[in-house]
Amino acid sequence: MTETTPTSPPPTTHRGAADEDLALLRRLLVTPEQAEVDALRLRLDDPRIHARDVSGVLAEAIVLRAREDDELQRALQPIFARTLRLAIQEDPALVADALYPVLGPAIRKAVAHALRDLVQSLNRILSRAFSIRAIRWRWEAWRSGRSFAEVVLAHTLLYRVEQVFLIHADTGLVLQHVAAPDVPTEDPSLVAGMLTAIQDFVRDSFGAGERETLDEFEVGELVVWIARGPEAVIAAVIRGTPLPIVRTTLEEQLERVHLTHREALQAFDGDASAFADTGASLEDCLLVEVGDRSPGGGA
Amino acid sequence: MLEKKVCMVGAPGVGKTSLVRRFVESVFSERYHSTIGVKVDKKVVAVDGRELGLVLWDLEGADELTPLSLAYFRGAAGYLLVVDGTRATTLEAARELRDATEAQLGSLPHLVLLNKTDLPDAWAVGDGAILAGAGADVRRTSAKTGSGVEEAFLALGARLLG
């Protein structure tokens, strides 16, 4: 005998439908909020979004905090110090290049101070010297109100800067060239090339470092003074015996060019037109010192 | 005017200086070679209507006795590798020079010049095939007759601007 059991719809069917309805209802009710919650969760979980958000207010936050107290500076100070130390350790040239326009004037100031002391002591020594010429020069110094050392220098040192070359350090190509009036000149490109070759030769032959340079050399009555920066070299062809002011001027103009034309120097590919405006700076280096006996002998 | 530094290299006696003399009127004395190992000359060429100043660094002949000073190569935009077509050893020397240059400075535009074509009977390097790899432009020149010289410098100029 078979026993039949009354058939009843499985309870799950009802429950399933109810669940679906509920889910639908939930979706209808909470979908917009759910999307917002998801978006918020994403914001919380994704560090890139955090970074973007912070970057938007970082500068303002720093300004605000710096107005309040010095805590931020105190917190950052050791980090900056470590970063700088690390940067110097890894690439000293990078930091040296960045500081080059700043360090030059500071060093020159210190050297000028030392030189002034030297001139003063020279004055003392010279004031003891006794000769007819010395008496004449002392008279001249008294008359003109200049120091005795200045008068002696004016009588003994005569020079004229005849040509100035601005040369790209890496390629040896000429960037700018100026010459005093009536000075016969060769093609500046050739002279700049040979000057660079001579520098390379000296460095290569004597094992000097990349930044070390031949500062000066003499050719008959001419003396060539050279100053080297990270990207460019300045060379002056001088007739006679130049005063230190010539070197100072060369270095100052070289620093100025580095400051004003750094990007053009780094991107230089043989087109010197970007350096056309450095002519005036170079002309400032065309110094003349005439040692006549008039009080305004120097020009 | 645009200027480019170009080096001329090769074993001693291959005719580099004669090639330069063919091409430009030198200002500096050739004694510079024996003193500092380089002489600088310049030639202005016209490439596609543009003026280009080739500043030629003619380097003293390099071989196993006098190694090439790569310091002179700094900042060069390209170079000319010169071979004496009548001496096979200069071909091998040129290959070594090129390897040394590329090891130090990477690949630079360059031309290979098989010089002295005015001596066909003594020709000893064939077509210079061992230097023809890596897209190098191998040309024949004669500093004596001037054959191919101007064209070679112009071709290098075109490569430097290309």
Side-chain angles (χ1 to χ4, degrees):
Chain A
M1 185 179 107
T2 55
E3 204 178 335
T4 56
T5 49
T7 54
S8 58
T12 48
T13 314
H14 277 306
R15 197 174 297 148
D19 282 353
E20 262 177 42
D21 289 347
L22 201 59
L24 182 66
L25 188 62
R26 191 187 287 130
R27 272 205 300 279
L28 286 172
L29 284 174
V30 303
T31 294
E33 285 77 10
Q34 187 63 45
E36 274 178 34
V37 169
D38 288 347
L40 278 172
R41 184 175 294 138
L42 195 68
R43 280 187 97 82
L44 290 173
D45 289 347
D46 190 340
R48 281 172 303 182
I49 296 176
H50 278 303
R52 204 164 57 219
D53 287 351
V54 173
S55 75
V57 296
L58 191 61
E60 208 181 343
I62 288 174
V63 171
L64 281 176
R65 185 59 202 248
R67 274 191 207 139
E68 275 176 31
D69 56 33
D70 293 340
E71 275 310 304
L72 193 67
Q73 287 92 323
R74 280 204 194 93
L76 289 176
Q77 190 276 331
I79 298 170
F80 280 146
R82 270 204 303 278
T83 308
L84 191 60
R85 197 175 302 130
L86 205 65
I88 294 172
Q89 270 169 7
E90 285 192 356
D91 189 358
L94 189 78
V95 181
D97 286 358
L99 287 178
Y100 172 75
V102 184
L103 276 182
I107 293 169
R108 255 200 316 283
K109 214 181 237 174
V111 172
H113 191 74
L115 275 178
R116 204 167 50 237
D117 291 350
L118 187 71
V119 169
Q120 278 168 3
S121 67
L122 187 68
N123 256 333
R124 277 199 298 278
I125 294 165
L126 288 172
S127 64
R128 289 189 209 116
F130 188 82
S131 71
I132 292 174
R133 202 166 56 163
I135 291 169
R136 204 164 56 221
W137 286 348
R138 193 161 303 130
W139 163 251
E140 189 184 324
W142 175 79
R143 202 165 43 94
S144 65
R146 290 187 292 167
S147 84
F148 185 50
E150 264 182 87
V151 174
V152 174
L153 288 177
H155 279 280
T156 49
L157 301 175
L158 310 163
Y159 69 86
R160 180 193 195 197
V161 179
E162 293 194 339
Q163 294 185 63
V164 181
F165 297 84
L166 181 68
I167 303 167
H168 186 240
D170 218 27
T171 59
L173 295 175
V174 69
L175 302 171
Q176 180 60 280
H177 167 254
V178 295
D182 310 323
V183 172
T185 56
E186 289 294 349
D187 185 336
S189 310
L190 292 177
V191 181
M194 279 312 278
L195 281 172
T196 308
I198 292 167
Q199 297 266 347
D200 291 346
F201 170 72
V202 171
R203 257 200 302 277
D204 204 39
S205 306
F206 303 112
E210 182 67 15
R211 292 295 174 90
E212 287 171 275
T213 176
L214 182 69
D215 288 337
E216 64 176 277
F217 59 90
E218 287 181 41
V219 193
E221 285 184 356
L222 296 173
V223 51
V224 180
W225 276 12
I226 298 163
R228 189 184 172 90
E231 312 286 347
V233 173
I234 198 165
V237 181
I238 309 156
R239 188 171 297 279
T241 311
L243 288 176
I245 179 83
V246 175
R247 179 164 293 283
T248 314
T249 311
L250 291 173
E251 285 170 353
E252 275 173 2
Q253 297 310 330
L254 183 62
E255 282 154 13
R256 180 179 293 180
V257 172
H258 275 86
L259 212 55
T260 54
H261 292 74
R262 181 173 286 272
E263 280 174 19
L265 283 168
Q266 285 170 345
F268 180 66
D269 70 342
D271 182 3
S273 58
F275 300 90
D277 58 354
T278 59
S281 289
L282 261 56
E283 275 166 10
D284 286 348
C285 301
L286 291 174
L287 300 166
V288 186
E289 188 82 22
V290 186
D292 67 19
R293 289 176 184 280
S294 64
Chain B
M1 179 180 52
L2 197 66
E3 288 191 340
K4 298 280 184 190
K5 173 177 171 178
V6 170
C7 289
M8 300 225 14
V9 284
V14 294
K16 293 184 300 297
T17 305
S18 304
L19 283 168
V20 173
R21 211 185 294 133
R22 253 291 160 192
F23 189 58
V24 299
E25 218 160 289
S26 283
V27 168
F28 296 113
S29 151
E30 271 150 29
R31 278 177 306 172
Y32 282 103
H33 274 141
S34 48
T35 47
I36 66 167
V38 61
K39 188 165 76 77
V40 179
D41 285 294
K42 181 178 150 186
K43 175 79 173 182
V44 178
V45 295
V47 179
D48 298 333
R50 283 174 79 190
E51 275 202 331
L52 170 66
L54 295 175
V55 178
L56 299 165
W57 286 47
D58 176 12
L59 307 189
E60 186 188 22
D63 57 15
E64 60 275 12
L65 291 174
T66 49
L68 180 72
S69 169
L70 283 171
Y72 291 140
F73 257 91
R74 200 163 44 98
Y79 62 98
L80 290 164
L81 198 57
V82 187
V83 173
D84 177 349
T86 66
R87 286 186 292 148
T89 52
T90 65
L91 193 69
E92 182 55 34
R95 195 166 64 103
E96 283 170 13
L97 280 172
R98 184 167 70 185
D99 290 349
T101 310
E102 294 202 342
Q104 188 97 7
L105 303 154
S107 186
L108 285 176
H110 65 280
L111 248 59
V112 179
L113 305 186
L114 306 177
N115 194 33
K116 304 194 184 177
T117 52
D118 48 285
L119 300 170
D121 294 340
W123 201 252
V125 299
D127 57 2
I130 66 161
L131 290 170
D137 185 349
V138 182
R139 287 163 175 262
R140 293 182 182 221
T141 55
S142 167
K144 194 171 178 188
T145 65
S147 154
V149 179
E150 185 97 20
E151 292 85 340
F153 284 100
L154 281 171
L156 183 65
R159 279 197 138 190
L160 297 181
L161 290 186

